[in-house]
Amino acid sequence: MLPRKPIEASQTSPKVDTKTLEFNPSRVPQSPEDFGTDEMLINMGPQHPSTHGVLRVEITTDGEIIKKARPFIGYLHRCFEKCSELVGYPGTMPYTDRMDYLASMNCNHGYALAVEKLMGLEVPERAEYIRVIIAELGRIASHLVSFGSYALDLGAVTPIIYAFREREVILNIFEAVCGARLTYNYYRIGGVSGDLTPKMIDMIRDFVDYFEPKLIDYDNLLSYNKIFIERTANVGVIPLDMAINYGLTGPMLRGSGMKWDLRKNDPYSIYDRFDFNIPVGTGAQGQLGDCWDRYIVRMREMKESCKIIRQAIERIPAGAAIAENIPKIIKPPKGEVYVRVENPRGEMGYYIISDGSAKAYRCKARSASFANLAILQAIAPGVMLADLVAIIGSIDIVLGDVDR
């Protein structure tokens, strides 16, 4: 056996200075900056296959607290505004129900009113009542999706099952009146595509009788649930002045306490004939303008829609469902018009320029979701990542209503 080679001094373990291992209070980090960690740039979304390229939120965070949140929006390739210059006024109508596809009827309504104002066309009274009934059913159907999906965002599964159960009844009514269950297309320039039959009116009345008590169940299930309140109260607070400066409308604005609803403040169609209230946020569970306020406004609006539907059903007159003097080829006189309606997500406006031909020279749509989403980057900094989910859900965006 060969003799072992002696270990050289340079190969021995270095000596440890035990003094450096002693506890030194001055070396304890006092703030997040003392840790020396880097900020992370991460993407939130898309969370759904249909939102590919349409929305992602670029977040700058130190791990839990959001420093910046910047929404990036994309395209849905519908080109409504450009197509409206190519297909004529009646042919444009199907494009409108694909913008906010959870409130297609309401989008139809606004465009029909804009063209009719441009033409100076008077709509039969029965058609006006039918339009209001269908628009309010659309508002309930849209708010039901908001109610169920918002709860799902925060981890509660049961509400969305209830919401889609009730929404299914509305879809059955829509299918009866127009034959479609998603991209409803029922409104026409001058009225609606078909009259409501007595059976359809009974279906609507039965739905309202069935649905109103369900709102109490929803409150018991979610609105006053302790966990839900903890996740939504005092979160994503939007002061009223900020809401106004960002051009928010609909439940986003009313959740901050402003009683502004176009059905009352700038009445269109026959809304000035009905008695209903405008729910607003009051800060009942936290600060005024928080996520809970925006949520509860939508819940209370469903009750008010039921009141409008009941009154419209009782007063609906006999007569035609569409005007008789509509020309075969619609050519509004030269001019321009802007008409706005109160959609479930806020103000939906159409600005149309007519050059006297059968096609619009220019058509511009103002949608609520686009303006409402813009406030995200103002209220997101400083909140926890989990709270950002609650904030985005409370905005209740439909990406077809964001993209143009």
Side-chain angles (χ1 to χ4, degrees):
M1 179 182 293
L2 295 175
R4 285 174 178 260
K5 188 178 180 180
I7 300 175
E8 297 178 359
S10 60
Q11 292 179 303
T12 58
S13 301
K15 289 185 178 180
V16 177
D17 183 2
T18 55
K19 290 185 179 179
T20 61
L21 300 178
E22 294 177 358
F23 176 72
N24 184 355
S26 65
R27 297 170 57 191
V28 175
Q30 302 297 318
S31 66
E33 289 73 17
D34 294 341
F35 285 102
T37 55
D38 295 328
E39 291 182 345
M40 294 182 290
L41 190 67
I42 59 176
N43 282 306
M44 176 180 279
Q47 298 100 329
H48 187 275
S50 71
T51 62
H52 60 274
V54 180
L55 175 68
R56 65 182 172 90
V57 182
E58 186 185 86
I59 298 172
T60 304
T61 176
D62 63 359
E64 284 292 339
I65 306 297
I66 294 172
K67 301 291 183 65
K68 295 179 183 175
R70 187 180 175 194
F72 282 83
I73 59 173
Y75 300 94
L76 279 179
H77 311 296
R78 289 170 296 100
C79 307
F80 154 75
E81 293 172 351
K82 197 63 183 174
C83 290
S84 67
E85 301 169 11
L86 304 172
V87 299
Y89 294 95
T92 301
M93 187 68 79
Y95 289 94
T96 64
D97 50 53
R98 284 154 175 79
M99 289 196 291
D100 182 351
Y101 38 80
L102 292 182
S104 300
M105 296 293 199
N106 306 74
C107 294
N108 285 175
H109 197 184
Y111 184 77
L113 289 173
V115 178
E116 288 158 4
K117 186 174 181 180
L118 202 56
M119 297 171 64
L121 182 66
E122 188 173 347
V123 177
E125 196 169 350
R126 182 176 177 83
E128 293 280 21
Y129 275 86
I130 293 173
R131 284 178 169 187
V132 167
I133 292 170
I134 299 299
E136 293 309 312
L137 285 173
R139 190 180 316 278
I140 294 173
S142 176
H143 284 353
L144 279 173
V145 175
S146 174
F147 159 71
S149 60
Y150 191 36
L152 193 63
D153 287 344
L154 300 180
V157 177
T158 306
I160 199 168
I161 298 172
Y162 285 15
F164 274 73
R165 181 187 62 189
E166 270 71 85
R167 182 172 176 265
E168 188 71 12
V169 182
I170 298 178
L171 297 188
N172 290 338
I173 296 170
F174 286 171
E175 186 177 18
V177 300
C178 72
R181 298 177 63 84
L182 178 61
T183 51
Y184 334 111
N185 187 263
Y186 180 51
Y187 291 58
R188 295 289 183 272
I189 297 169
V192 293
S193 63
D195 198 358
L196 289 184
T197 64
K199 183 180 178 180
M200 294 174 189
I201 293 177
D202 288 341
M203 290 173 67
I204 296 168
R205 186 182 288 110
D206 291 344
F207 167 74
V208 176
D209 292 340
Y210 161 80
F211 179 67
E212 278 185 317
K214 299 298 179 187
L215 291 170
I216 300 173
D217 295 341
Y218 295 166
D219 280 344
N220 295 331
L221 178 67
L222 187 67
S223 302
Y224 300 105
N225 179 286
K226 187 175 185 300
I227 298 173
F228 181 71
I229 292 174
E230 291 284 339
R231 291 297 312 273
T232 56
N234 298 312
V235 175
V237 176
I238 303 176
L240 181 56
D241 57 343
M242 180 187 285
I244 294 172
N245 290 338
Y246 271 84
L248 304 188
T249 54
M252 289 289 288
L253 177 63
R254 293 191 284 274
S256 294
M258 186 165 180
K259 210 169 189 177
W260 177 263
D261 189 311
L262 294 174
R263 295 173 296 174
K264 284 279 190 184
N265 299 95
D266 187 13
Y268 54 93
S269 187
I270 54 170
Y271 273 105
D272 54 351
R273 302 181 187 180
F274 302 111
D275 177 31
F276 63 100
N277 299 317
I278 306 300
V280 295
T282 59
Q285 299 297 332
Q287 295 184 60
L288 177 63
D290 58 16
C291 289
W292 194 87
D293 271 347
R294 293 190 283 276
Y295 159 83
I296 203 66
V297 163
R298 296 187 180 96
M299 301 303 289
R300 298 296 176 259
E301 284 184 359
M302 288 194 282
K303 183 178 181 181
E304 298 304 317
S305 292
C306 289
K307 288 168 61 177
I308 295 172
I309 292 170
R310 283 191 186 282
Q311 294 172 62
I313 288 176
E314 295 304 319
R315 303 175 191 174
I316 186 169
I322 192 164
E324 296 178 352
N325 55 343
I326 302 174
K328 290 184 178 179
I329 300 177
I330 294 178
K331 292 183 178 180
K334 287 184 179 179
E336 56 187 275
V337 66
Y338 179 76
V339 170
R340 54 185 183 173
V341 294
E342 189 67 40
N343 271 18
R345 263 154 285 281
E347 179 178 327
M348 179 84 203
Y350 293 95
Y351 173 60
I352 304 175
I353 300 177
S354 169
D355 59 1
S357 68
K359 301 172 185 175
Y361 175 78
R362 184 74 177 95
C363 181
K364 171 70 179 172
R366 189 274 185 203
S367 58
S369 294
F370 182 78
N372 292 346
L373 182 62
I375 204 170
L376 180 64
Q377 54 190 338
I379 60 175
V383 306
M384 306 283 283
L385 270 174
D387 288 339
L388 187 62
V389 177
I391 293 172
I392 294 176
S394 75
I395 298 176
D396 185 32
I397 54 170
V398 164
L399 290 168
D401 203 39
V402 172
D403 170 41
R404 192 79 313 110

